[in-house]
Amino acid sequence: MQALSFQADFLGFLHLRRSHEGVHMPRIVPLLTDLKLFETDDEDIERRLRNHLEDVRYSSCKNDDAKELKRLSWQDTDKIRRRAKKIIEARGKYSQGQHLSRADRKMLRPVTNGVAVGGPSSEHQVDEIAAMLYDEMPWMQQVINEIWLDMRHNIIEHGSGLKLRPTLLVGGAGLGKTHLVRRIADLSRLPIVHIDGGASSEGFPIAGLSRGWGGAECGRPLKAMLSTKVANPVVIIDEIDKAGTAFGTSGHSTSMHSALLGLLEPVSAVDWHCPYFQVGVDMSRVNWLMTANDATVLPALLRSRVRTIHVEPPSQAQLEAFIEKEVFRRSLPEDCVNQIAKAIQKPIGNKAVSVRFVAKLLEEVQRLETLPLKH
């Protein structure tokens, strides 16, 4: 398949096309695979059935014998007990969360009827997102092309929403890998979960920690899904190659790499077991994007579950174009373009100028522009 061809005129055409599109209602999909939280507890079913029958008989009574007619016979009581038993048996097919605390049930109850699938709803919106990404970061063309193909495939096969294959972006520091992922989430209007692999080796931020341990809670991706009621957040794990293995005093070990294995495998992610809530959760729609400087240090099991894309550094012309667009986006003076372009013409030491360095210069200029004028 040929590489993407993005033009300025095409951007304007897509914007016009999108303005005529109607409001799209998001798809609702189940999140909890084996948990059903009912409003009525098992022990209250018989009581509510009895009260209902009494209310029905009382409301239908139009003579002075209302009290006599409202009373239930032993046949009525036996029938109610048998009906309540059948209801309890039918509900027994689902875990009703008796092991959960009141606070945990409060967190899970809003998503028992499903969560929304966010992201683009048509191929036109997919093309527009890809065009905007390429217009901002042309040196990322290979990455954007793969993202674009994923988005179009999902729209055609499954309907609206963003679904990307688990992807590992490999390249030098400061190339804009994290910035690209954030822009994908922003343009798709999806929540983003940022996890720093270099700051922690434990798998708890991803999978959570089971009860009985201090600080037990669910993983950050699931927590974001519960709070936003979105099935497909964008999860970025920065510098995953720097995450190691953490060992406890009892000899048990945990790692971010091992925690990801079950979540990246499509078969197991559909019914992933949350160690904190102790219930099944459909995590198959989460968009996993990781960055690394060196992929060779990652375990083979992890590398086999992700798509690896190498990111090349931008050219001088691409950096200057990036500066021009960012100056315009940040509403900075036009003469800042030439000033920053001159500042990056010479390498720093033996290293070429990175996108991160350019972003810091832009932030510094933006900060100085906010200072009050001296009289």
Side-chain angles (χ1 to χ4, degrees), residues 109-152:
R109 196 178 298 279
V111 300
T112 52
N113 294 325
V115 289
V117 179
S121 58
S122 67
E123 296 177 54
H124 304 299
Q125 291 183 9
V126 166
D127 294 341
E128 183 177 17
I129 290 174
M132 294 177 67
L133 290 173
Y134 182 78
D135 186 59
E136 295 177 16
M137 293 165 282
W139 65 92
M140 292 278 193
Q141 179 171 347
Q142 181 183 0
V143 182
I144 298 171
N145 184 58
E146 294 293 332
I147 299 297
W148 174 67
L149 293 176
D150 283 354
M151 292 191 294
R152 288 187 64 89

Side-chain angles (χ1 to χ4, degrees), residues 317-333:
Q318 290 172 336
L319 271 179
E320 293 177 358
F322 176 74
I323 294 170
E324 185 175 353
K325 292 182 177 65
E326 284 296 304
V327 166
F328 175 78
R329 188 178 68 86
R330 299 170 188 246
S331 300
L332 298 174

Side-chain angles (χ1 to χ4, degrees), residues 3 40 45-46 52 55 87 90 100 136 155 177 221 240 245 255 259 283 293-294 301 317 325 330 334 356 364 368:
T40 306
I45 293 177
E46 186 174 335
H52 175 70
D55 292 341
I87 294 175
L100 298 172
E136 295 177 16
I155 291 291
K177 301 186 292 295
I240 192 173
T245 302
S255 72
M283 301 288 286
N293 300 133
D294 184 8
L301 286 175
K325 292 182 177 65
R330 299 170 188 246
E334 294 183 2
R356 181 179 300 162
E364 182 65 18
L368 293 175

Side-chain angles (χ1 to χ4, degrees), residues 267-288:
V267 176
S268 57
V270 172
D271 189 15
W272 178 74
H273 185 76
C274 174
Y276 175 72
F277 289 116
Q278 295 293 311
V279 298
V281 183
D282 186 355
M283 301 288 286
S284 62
R285 294 181 176 86
V286 176
N287 298 287
W288 299 94

Side-chain angles (χ1 to χ4, degrees), residues 45-106:
I45 293 177
E46 186 174 335
R47 176 184 57 81
R48 293 192 62 173
L49 289 175
R50 183 184 297 107
N51 293 341
H52 175 70
L53 182 57
E54 290 175 347
D55 292 341
V56 169
R57 288 185 178 179
Y58 183 80
S59 62
S60 61
C61 180
K62 298 180 180 180
N63 52 43
D64 296 337
D65 299 329
K67 293 183 179 180
E68 295 295 330
L69 293 174
K70 187 178 180 181
R71 293 176 181 175
L72 301 180
S73 64
W74 68 268
Q75 291 93 340
D76 295 329
T77 303
D78 182 66
K79 187 175 182 179
I80 288 173
R81 288 175 179 173
R82 287 187 281 110
R83 180 66 58 84
K85 183 179 179 181
K86 289 183 178 180
I87 294 175
I88 293 173
E89 290 176 352
R91 296 193 342 173
K93 297 178 181 179
Y94 301 92
S95 170
Q96 298 177 38
Q98 291 89 345
H99 63 287
L100 298 172
S101 66
R102 184 182 297 272
D104 293 338
R105 287 197 295 270
K106 185 177 180 181

